[in-house]
């Protein structure tokens, strides 16, 4: 059976779409679901048009935007579905637009997620593990951060040496994440619920691949101690042992509100809390990393595609890829918003990275430059990194903080962090472009993807 085929678990209760009965005896949720489906189609059309215009302005090569597949047309409401409060205010049109289809797919998130650990030696997916709400298979994550490699400088005349090509994914890869010690690489597929963990030294998988037939692992994050991998979806956050990919601790599910999401997850550097939000969300929530209980009052937001803590843990940065809300900065201790950087990025922002000393936030917009901001004042610091070929597809600081790495359609670029001058441009051997870049904490290893790639390329920067 192909990895992405539905498991037998899917046959149970494909039902949802909450709602109340109208005066004519019809279910209003049915009409609402149809409207949400239409709005989602409208949103996807606008995103596709934005992507087309972006590449028309920035130059080839063009590639299809990563837009989720169309949701199922409709699911009937179930008798035990929760009812919406009669006096509840209707959601804004933006929430309807960006959250279109969320209510329609409530059936897929209101039942326990079907999970299988896949053996790559066979095409038969065997259900060797189940991720059910409340499952504990190991202790709570330790707040003690893992020992990270010491900072290293990028060589004066850098080049890329191929290390390995990691194969196993059958769908386009959407996410790459290194563990805090740089020894493990996590990869998830963009449109299917497949998560893999790779041993960077041996180039082999650490555990059998994790398959979910009902969710896509959009948000992927390692806890600072390196023991837990957190994954996020529109309606739930789940936690896995970073060695075995077995469930670790209680999942967090918000089935009753389709506008609460977990599409991005970020752990604080000390490992005590994590923050989460999503494109359709209206807030950023904090949770205790050990108990998974919500902490404090959520931060007001208009959709956060990415969340990043500063290395000192004092600042949280959030960005809305659509460009509607731009970059926001918060003081983690007081939960207050700091001054915003100017929101003049064309089409939103794609990448963010803090300098190792936490004094600078680098932001790559959908245009061809990278700009730098003071995380305390929101003011721009120095000049941008420009002259990229097309959109910036990767951004990272060197571990010593003296260089900045960026990627675009032409290859990898190394910049002086102080003067903002380009130090080197490195062509990727055997490849014409980089669609995604992950830089290891060891300061030497890179993982890259090509456009619509199903394989991961590992490189040594030397």
């Amino acid at each position: 059976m192909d990895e992405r085929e539905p498991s037998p678990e899917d046959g149970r209760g494909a039902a949802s779409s909450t709602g109340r009965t109208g005066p004519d005896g019809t279910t209003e949720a049915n009409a609402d679901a149809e409207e949400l489906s239409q709005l989602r189609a409208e949103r996807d059309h606008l995103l596709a048009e934005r992507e087309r215009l972006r590449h028309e302005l920035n130059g080839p090569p063009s590639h299809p935007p990563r837009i989720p597949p169309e949701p199922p047309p409709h699911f009937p409401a179930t008798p035990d579905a929760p009812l919406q409060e009669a006096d509840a205010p209707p959601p804004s049109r933006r929430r309807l637009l960006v959250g279109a289809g969320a209510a329609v797919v409530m059936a897929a998130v209101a039942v326990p997620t079907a999970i299988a650990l896949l053996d790559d030696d066979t095409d038969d997916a065997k259900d060797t593990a189940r991720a059910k709400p409340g499952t504990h298979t190991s202790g709570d994550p330790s707040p003690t951060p893992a020992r990270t490699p010491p900072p290293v400088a990028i060589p004066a005349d850098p080049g890329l040496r191929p290390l390995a090509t990691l194969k196993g994914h059958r769908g386009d890869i959407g996410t790459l994440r290194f563990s805090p010690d740089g020894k493990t690489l996590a990869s998830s597929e963009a449109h299917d619920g497949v998560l893999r963990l790779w041993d960077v030294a041996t180039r082999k998988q650490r555990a059998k691949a994790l398959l979910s037939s009902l969710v896509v692992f959009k948000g992927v994050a390692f806890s600072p101690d390196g023991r837990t991998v957190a994954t996020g979806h529109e309606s739930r956050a789940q936690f896995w042992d970073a060695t075995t990919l077995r469930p670790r601790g209680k999942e967090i599910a918000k089935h009753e509100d389709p506008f609460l999401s977990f599409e991005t997850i970020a752990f604080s550097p000390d490992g005590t809390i994590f923050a989460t939000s999503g494109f359709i969300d209206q807030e950023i929530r904090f949770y205790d990393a050990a108990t998974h209980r919500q902490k404090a009052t959520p931060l007001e937001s208009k959709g956060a595609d990415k969340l990043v803590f500063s290395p000192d843990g004092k600042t949280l940065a959030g960005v809305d890829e659509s460009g509607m809300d731009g970059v926001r900065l918060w003081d983690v201790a007081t939960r207050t918003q700091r001054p915003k950087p100017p929101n003049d990025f064309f089409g939103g922002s794609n990448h963010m990275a803090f300098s190792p000393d936490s004094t600078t936030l680098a932001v790559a917009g959908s245009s061809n430059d990278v700009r730098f901001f003071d995380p305390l004042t929101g003011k721009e610091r120095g000049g941008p990194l420009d002259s990229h070929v097309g959109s910036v597809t990767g951004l990272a600081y060197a571990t010593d903080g003296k260089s900045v790495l960026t990627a675009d359609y032409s290859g990898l670029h190394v910049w002086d962090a102080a003067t903002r001058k380009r130090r080197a441009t490195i062509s990727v051997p055997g490849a014409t472009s980089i669609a995604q870049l992950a830089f290891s904490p060891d300061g030497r290893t890179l993982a890259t993807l090509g456009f619509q790639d199903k394989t991961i390329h590992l490189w040594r920067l030397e």
Side-chain angles (χ1 to χ4, degrees):
M1 180 172 68
D2 186 89
E3 281 185 340
R4 301 183 304 279
E5 290 182 10
S7 74
E9 192 84 0
D10 295 352
R12 299 189 304 168
S16 183
S17 190
T18 67
R20 56 185 184 272
T21 303
D24 58 352
T26 61
T27 303
E28 292 184 6
N30 295 349
D32 292 342
E34 292 178 3
E35 181 182 3
L36 287 171
S37 181
Q38 293 173 356
L39 288 171
R40 175 159 185 160
E42 179 184 345
R43 183 202 70 173
D44 289 352
H45 172 75
L46 292 174
L47 288 174
E49 181 65 14
R50 185 195 74 175
E51 193 77 6
R52 185 189 67 78
L53 292 173
R54 175 192 301 172
H55 288 291
E56 183 176 312
L57 290 172
N58 294 334
S62 61
H63 63 284
R66 291 176 175 173
I67 297 175
E70 288 295 321
H74 177 65
F75 290 106
T78 57
D80 58 346
L83 298 179
Q84 181 180 352
E85 294 293 335
D87 56 352
S92 66
R93 178 166 179 80
R94 181 184 185 277
R95 293 193 80 187
L96 285 173
L97 181 59
V98 302
V104 183
V105 297
M106 285 293 286
V109 298
V111 297
T113 309
I115 296 289
L117 291 178
L118 302 183
D119 189 343
D120 286 326
D121 295 332
T122 175
D123 290 334
D124 296 328
K126 299 179 181 180
D127 290 340
T128 56
R130 298 289 183 186
K132 297 181 178 180
T135 300
H136 271 271
T137 60
S138 58
D140 290 321
S142 167
T144 304
R147 179 176 297 178
T148 57
V152 296
I154 292 179
D157 186 18
L160 287 179
R161 176 169 60 89
L163 294 179
T165 299
L166 308 181
K167 299 181 179 180
H169 284 284
R170 300 183 185 179
D172 296 344
I173 301 171
T175 301
L176 293 176
R177 293 286 186 274
F178 277 102
S179 61
D181 60 7
K183 296 180 179 180
T184 302
L185 177 67
S187 59
S188 66
E189 295 189 7
H191 306 302
D192 298 286
V194 180
L195 177 70
R196 298 177 186 272
L197 296 180
W198 307 87
D199 186 306
V200 176
T202 66
R203 328 292 196 234
K204 296 180 179 179
Q205 290 193 60
R206 287 196 178 275
K208 297 177 181 179
L210 189 66
L211 167 70
S212 171
S213 57
L214 296 179
V215 302
V216 177
F217 304 115
K218 294 187 176 181
V220 179
F222 281 93
S223 61
D225 63 9
R227 296 170 55 193
T228 303
V229 180
T231 59
H233 180 249
E234 280 92 346
S235 68
R236 69 178 68 228
Q238 295 170 292
F239 307 88
W240 316 94
D241 187 281
T243 301
T244 64
L245 277 181
R246 300 283 180 172
R248 184 183 182 88
K250 294 182 179 180
E251 73 171 30
I252 304 171
K254 296 290 184 181
H255 306 313
E256 69 280 2
D257 189 341
F259 298 105
L260 295 183
S261 62
F262 301 86
E263 293 176 315
T264 180
I265 297 177
F267 282 90
S268 62
D270 63 6
T272 58
I273 61 174
F274 61 87
T276 182
S277 188
F279 182 69
I280 66 174
D281 220 324
Q282 297 289 286
E283 61 187 28
I284 297 172
R285 295 170 301 283
F286 294 91
Y287 293 87
D288 186 285
T291 65
H292 298 172
R293 294 178 179 176
Q294 189 169 338
K295 298 187 64 174
T297 303
L299 305 177
E300 181 183 352
S301 174
K302 294 182 181 179
D305 295 280
K306 298 175 182 65
L307 295 173
V308 180
F309 280 95
S310 60
D312 62 9
K314 297 180 180 180
T315 304
L316 177 68
V319 65
D320 170 26
E321 188 178 6
S322 71
M324 295 180 182
D325 198 37
V327 177
R328 290 198 186 197
L329 300 166
W330 287 272
D331 184 298
V332 175
T334 63
R335 301 292 199 269
T336 56
Q337 185 173 336
R338 292 177 177 163
K340 288 183 59 177
N343 186 19
D344 55 0
F345 292 97
F346 171 70
S349 305
N350 292 330
H351 305 279
M352 295 188 300
F354 277 99
S355 59
D357 63 4
S358 301
T359 61
T360 305
L361 175 67
V363 180
S366 297
S367 57
N368 63 355
D369 62 3
V370 176
R371 294 161 65 182
F372 300 85
F373 302 96
D374 186 317
L376 299 180
T377 66
K379 294 182 178 180
E380 194 159 2
R381 303 189 64 176
L385 309 181
D386 52 18
S387 302
H388 289 92
V389 178
S391 301
V392 176
T393 57
L395 172 64
Y397 267 93
T399 55
D400 68 349
K402 296 182 180 180
S403 300
V404 178
L405 281 75
T406 62
D408 64 9
Y409 298 148
S410 65
L412 184 69
H413 307 277
V414 181
W415 309 77
D416 187 291
T419 65
R420 309 289 160 79
K421 293 182 178 180
R422 194 193 310 256
R423 287 181 46 197
T425 295
I426 309 171
S427 298
V428 180
T432 58
S433 58
I434 298 175
Q436 190 174 157
L437 166 71
F439 192 42
S440 170
D442 68 8
R444 283 287 184 268
T445 306
L446 290 89
T448 66
L449 297 173
F451 289 98
Q452 295 181 309
D453 211 343
K454 299 177 177 62
T455 58
I456 303 167
H457 307 279
L458 290 181
W459 312 89
R460 179 75 175 176
L461 185 63
E462 55 187 22

